[in-house]
Amino acid sequence: MDFNFNENQQIVRDLANEFAQKCLAPRIDEIEKAGHMPLELFAQAGEMGLLGVELPEEYGGSDLGAECAVLVMEEVAKVSAPVALAMTTHISVLGALLRAGTEAQKRKYPPDGAAGKYIASMAFTEAGTGSDPKQLTTKAVWNGSCFTLSGVKRFITNSAYPGPFLVFAREEDGACTAFLFEKGCEGYSLSTPWEKVGYHSSPVYDVFLDNVRVPEDSVLGARG
């Protein structure tokens, strides 16, 4: 087994190191005190091609694979683990879109995500569950023309930044379905940030969904 980096992996690793050392490291104290990561840092990462390494070129990426995405996170985490967490969450949403999204969803979200024009968020965890779909209490009700989402998600990374929100909810038949819509829409609100021992520059919130109305084409993948 060859554990050496190939040429593309070395290039991505060097770019990620450059971003971490030149763009991120000088601002660590500022970011930690502010309690969040400035949006322009995401834009810088996007301009350097670090957010779309796993995406195909037709969706704004460079199609270099998951290994290169991991190398990006590793280099960023050496300087700031919380910023790496925010980027990982963002990249995970883009990966979910790539694997389960419709062609329209892939055309709409990944190109701007790869460019760092928004920061995506993913919400599964609730007060009573972290990974078991059967324990979800967030509800999705279909009324014939749209879904209505209601519930509370806990400890949600990137939830205060503008961008798409991937949320998991249970339908009336008990099946778990994923929905994708814009944060800050009507019925979407946040708690104050949770106080944490560390990771101050990657704040987490409770997300309150109060009868958020989303169209049928907001479903990511099949219902259930």
Side-chain angles (χ1 to χ4, degrees), residues 87-101:
M87 293 176 67
T88 299
T89 301
H90 175 82
I91 289 173
S92 295
V93 175
L94 298 183
L97 274 159
L98 179 63
R99 291 166 179 80

Side-chain angles (χ1 to χ4, degrees), residues 123-126 128-143 146-153 166-179 181 209 211-212 214 219 222-224:
F124 189 101
T125 303
E126 298 179 355
T129 185
S131 60
D132 184 2
K134 294 181 180 179
Q135 300 299 318
L136 290 179
T137 60
T138 299
K139 296 180 179 179
V141 178
W142 174 250
N143 65 12
C146 69
F147 289 95
T148 301
L149 306 180
S150 299
V152 182
K153 295 296 184 180
L166 177 58
V167 62
F168 295 82
R170 293 182 70 191
E171 297 194 57
E172 293 174 284
D173 62 359
C176 181
T177 296
F179 300 87
F181 59 91
L209 304 176
N211 292 319
V212 174
V214 296
V219 172
R223 290 176 61 177

Side-chain angles (χ1 to χ4, degrees), residues 119 121 158-166 180-190 207-210 212-214:
I119 303 181
S121 185
N158 295 349
S159 51
Y161 298 113
F165 186 67
L166 177 58
L180 191 72
F181 59 91
E182 292 292 326
K183 287 173 275 185
C185 64
E186 185 176 355
Y188 180 100
S189 61
L190 302 174
V207 177
F208 305 105
L209 304 176
D210 183 13
V212 174
R213 295 167 63 87
V214 296

Side-chain angles (χ1 to χ4, degrees), residues 11-41:
I11 290 171
V12 169
R13 185 171 184 251
D14 290 345
L15 279 173
N17 179 267
E18 180 182 347
F19 168 78
Q21 298 299 331
K22 294 184 178 180
C23 301
L24 180 55
R27 303 185 66 179
I28 286 297
D29 289 343
E30 168 201 342
I31 294 169
E32 283 291 298
K33 289 177 182 178
H36 63 85
M37 184 181 61
L39 290 175
E40 63 263 25
L41 269 176

